[in-house]
Amino acid sequence: MMRTLTSVLALGLLLVLGWGAYQWQRTGEVPGLAWVTGGGSPATRASGSVAPAGAGKPAGAANAGAAANRGGGKRPPTVVTVTQAVGRDVEDTVDAVGSLLAAQSVLIKPEIAGRIAEIGVTDGQAVSRGDRLFELDGSVIAAELVQARAELELARSNLRRTKNLASQAFVSERSQDEAQSSVQVLEARRQVVQARLDKTRVRAPFSGVAGLVQVDPGDY
C-alpha cells in the first residue's frame, strides 16, 4: 500500500514539474506557482502550499526579473551610429527682384556742337576721371586758335615798341594804353578759342564704368 502511494505521489510530482517546465519554456515563468521558503503561518509552511509568482515583491521587480530571465540575464547591445563632424560654411541666400541704382551717373553730352571724329570708349569699359571718351572734329577751331595766337604775338610786339617810343616821348600815353588794351583783348580771344578746342574732347567727369555708347563716328 505504501509503495503504491509513493508511486502515485512521484508520478504527480513529475507531472507538476513537466507542466512547470512547459510554461517556463513558453512564457519564461510559471504562472500561479511559487515555492514558499519563509514567512507565512506554520500551517502554510507545513502543508507546502504555493503562492502566486512574484508575491511579496513589487510588480516592477517581478517584471524586471522575468525579462532578465528571458534574456539570459543580459540586455541586448545598444546600436550607436558614429560619424565624423566636419565644419563647413552655410550660405543663406535670398532671391528678390529689385532695381540697381548707381551712386553716381551722368548722361555724357558735348557742350558744343560738332561732328564726332573719334570714340575712345566701349560699352562696359572701366574709365578713370579725366579719360577721353569722345572727340569732336576741331580742325576749324584749331585754325582759329593759330590765328588768335599770331594776332596776340603781333599785339605784344606793338606794345613793346610803343613803350620804347613812349620812354623817348615820341608817342602819347593814349597810344601806349591802346596798345596795352589790344594785347589784353587778343589774349582773351585766344583763351576763348582754346576753351572751345578743349571742349571738343569729352572727358569722364568721375571714375566708373561706361554704359551704352549710342553714337558712331560721323554723328553730329
Side-chain angles (χ1 to χ4, degrees):
M1 186 67 180
M2 290 296 296
R3 186 177 299 177
T4 303
L5 181 60
T6 302
S7 300
V8 172
L9 292 176
L11 181 58
L13 180 58
L14 289 175
L15 291 175
V16 171
L17 293 176
W19 173 254
Y22 171 75
Q23 293 296 328
W24 178 271
Q25 292 293 329
R26 188 169 62 87
T27 62
E29 61 183 14
V30 182
L33 294 178
W35 294 105
V36 178
T37 58
S41 62
T44 304
R45 292 195 301 269
S47 61
S49 60
V50 296
K57 297 182 180 180
N63 294 333
N69 291 332
R70 288 194 301 269
K74 296 181 180 180
R75 292 188 177 182
T78 303
V79 180
V80 179
T81 302
V82 180
T83 185
Q84 184 179 1
V86 179
R88 63 185 180 89
D89 296 335
V90 178
E91 295 183 0
D92 187 8
T93 60
V94 177
D95 296 333
V97 178
S99 300
L100 297 178
L101 297 178
Q104 289 180 300
S105 62
V106 63
L107 181 61
I108 300 297
K109 293 182 179 180
E111 297 183 29
I112 62 175
R115 192 172 302 279
I116 296 178
E118 185 179 353
I119 298 177
V121 66
T122 58
D123 298 343
Q125 178 181 343
V127 296
S128 300
R129 181 178 181 180
D131 289 350
R132 182 175 58 89
L133 305 180
F134 304 93
E135 185 170 352
L136 304 180
D137 182 13
S139 56
V140 176
I141 301 177
E144 293 178 358
L145 180 60
V146 173
Q147 180 182 358
R149 288 174 177 174
E151 292 176 352
L152 177 60
E153 186 61 29
L154 178 61
R156 287 174 177 173
S157 297
N158 188 25
L159 177 61
R160 287 194 296 268
R161 289 192 296 268
T162 301
K163 286 182 177 180
N164 188 19
L165 294 174
S167 63
Q168 300 175 12
F170 289 147
V171 294
S172 63
E173 292 184 0
R174 180 177 179 179
S175 297
Q176 184 178 352
D177 292 342
E178 288 177 352
Q180 180 68 37
S181 177
S182 178
V183 171
Q184 294 176 351
V185 170
L186 292 176
E187 174 64 23
R189 180 186 175 188
R190 184 199 68 80
Q191 293 180 2
V192 170
V193 177
Q194 181 66 53
R196 289 175 56 198
L197 184 61
D198 292 340
K199 290 183 182 301
T200 59
R201 299 178 178 91
V202 181
R203 302 184 181 276
F206 50 82
S207 300
V209 178
L212 296 177
V213 179
Q214 300 178 350
V215 293
D216 296 313
D219 288 343
Y220 186 82

